[in-house]
């Protein structure tokens, strides 16, 4: 069964600090992995997308890594801002038409 | 260019009623998917349509149905509403039907069943 597990479930950090969110998946075959940011009450917005051959992808202060061998990905946020407070969702696409979603990590950035 | 648009944005229904949610994809996108997101959880896949045909269906009861129109817009219908159907319903569109296509989400329709 295809699954995507994210950790931690929630995280609280101080503004300006860095943090790393984790995503482990069992989706097979693997096509790509995406990270989405979802502000409260809004639709998810794509941050990064990585295919099998890509190890790292950056989008401003967001850097995603992928280890296709261990089926793990991480999202690193540098110099966090209050606007980074949101839910971060890992989505893995495989051979089927339907991508598999993680439950998300809720990040709260305090001033 | 307009993104994925959904309507209504918020609605309240009574148990047993029926609801129709609407979605217009990004211009040129032929695939539309529907997701249910309960508070505190990730989106759960309901349906995917591509070129007006159902491509996939998630683990939802037959009370849930959908269709895609010739202009690629879509409707999600839910009959005999239950309290547990209260959620954010997200519509997403993509260029094609492949799981490798980037998915663009709308802002969602908040459904509250009382």
């Amino acid at each position: 069964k295809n699954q995507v597990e994210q950790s931690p479930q929630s995280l609280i950090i101080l503004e300006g600090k860095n943090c790393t969110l984790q995503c482990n998946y069992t989706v097979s075959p693997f096509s790509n992995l995406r990270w989405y940011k979802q502000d409260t009450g809004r639709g998810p917005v794509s941050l990064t997308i990585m295919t099998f051959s890509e190890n790292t992808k950056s989008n401003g202060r967001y850097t995603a890594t992928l280890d296709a061998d261990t089926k793990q990905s991480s999202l690193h946020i540098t110099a966090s801002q209050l606007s980074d407070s949101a839910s971060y969702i890992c989505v893995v696409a495989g051979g089927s038409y339907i991508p598999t979603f993680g439950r998300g990590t809720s990040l709260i950035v305090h001033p | 260019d307009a993104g994925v648009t959904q309507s209504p944005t918020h609605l309240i229904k009574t148990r047993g009623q029926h609801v129709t949610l609407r979605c217009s994809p990004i211009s040129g996108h032929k695939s539309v998917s529907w997701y249910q997101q309960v508070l505190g959880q990730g989106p759960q896949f309901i349906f995917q349509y591509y070129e007006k045909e159902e491509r996939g269906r998630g683990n939802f009861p037959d009370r849930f149905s959908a269709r895609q129109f010739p202009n690629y817009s879509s409707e999600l219908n839910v009959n005999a509403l239950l309290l547990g159907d209260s959620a954010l319903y997200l519509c997403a569109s993509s260029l094609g039907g492949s799981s490798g296509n980037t998915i663009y989400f709308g802002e969602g329709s908040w459904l509250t069943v009382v």
Side-chain angles (χ1 to χ4, degrees), chain A residues 25 30 51-55 66-73:
Chain A
Y25 62 92
F30 174 83
T51 59
F52 184 88
S53 59
E54 297 174 297
N55 300 118
L66 173 65
D67 186 334
D69 291 331
T70 61
K71 298 186 177 180
Q72 296 179 327
S73 175

Side-chain angles (χ1 to χ4, degrees), chain B residues 34-38 41-47 54 56-65 76-78 84-89:
Chain B
W34 287 95
Y35 298 84
Q36 180 196 66
Q37 187 175 25
V38 175
Q41 297 187 20
Q44 297 294 314
F45 171 78
I46 309 176
F47 287 107
E54 183 182 303
R57 183 186 184 110
N59 188 24
F60 280 81
D62 291 342
R63 299 184 296 107
F64 288 76
S65 64
L76 175 69
N77 294 283
V78 186
D85 295 331
S86 296
L88 175 66
Y89 287 85

Side-chain angles (χ1 to χ4, degrees), chain A residues 35-57:
Chain A
W35 283 93
Y36 282 86
K37 177 187 179 187
Q38 185 176 23
D39 293 319
T40 302
R42 307 291 298 274
V45 174
S46 180
L47 293 174
T48 63
I49 178 170
M50 287 184 293
T51 59
F52 184 88
S53 59
E54 297 174 297
N55 300 118
T56 304
K57 184 72 72 77

Side-chain angles (χ1 to χ4, degrees), chain A residues 34 36 38 42-43 94 96-97, chain B residues 37 55 97 99-101 103 107:
Chain A
R34 308 184 187 101
Y36 282 86
Q38 185 176 23
R42 307 291 298 274
S96 72
Y97 300 117
Chain B
Q37 187 175 25
R55 271 285 184 86
S99 62
N101 295 130
I103 302 169
E107 296 292 1

Side-chain angles (χ1 to χ4, degrees), chain B residues 102-114:
Chain B
T102 297
I103 302 169
Y104 297 87
F105 286 89
E107 296 292 1
S109 292
W110 282 99
L111 170 64
T112 301
V113 182
V114 298

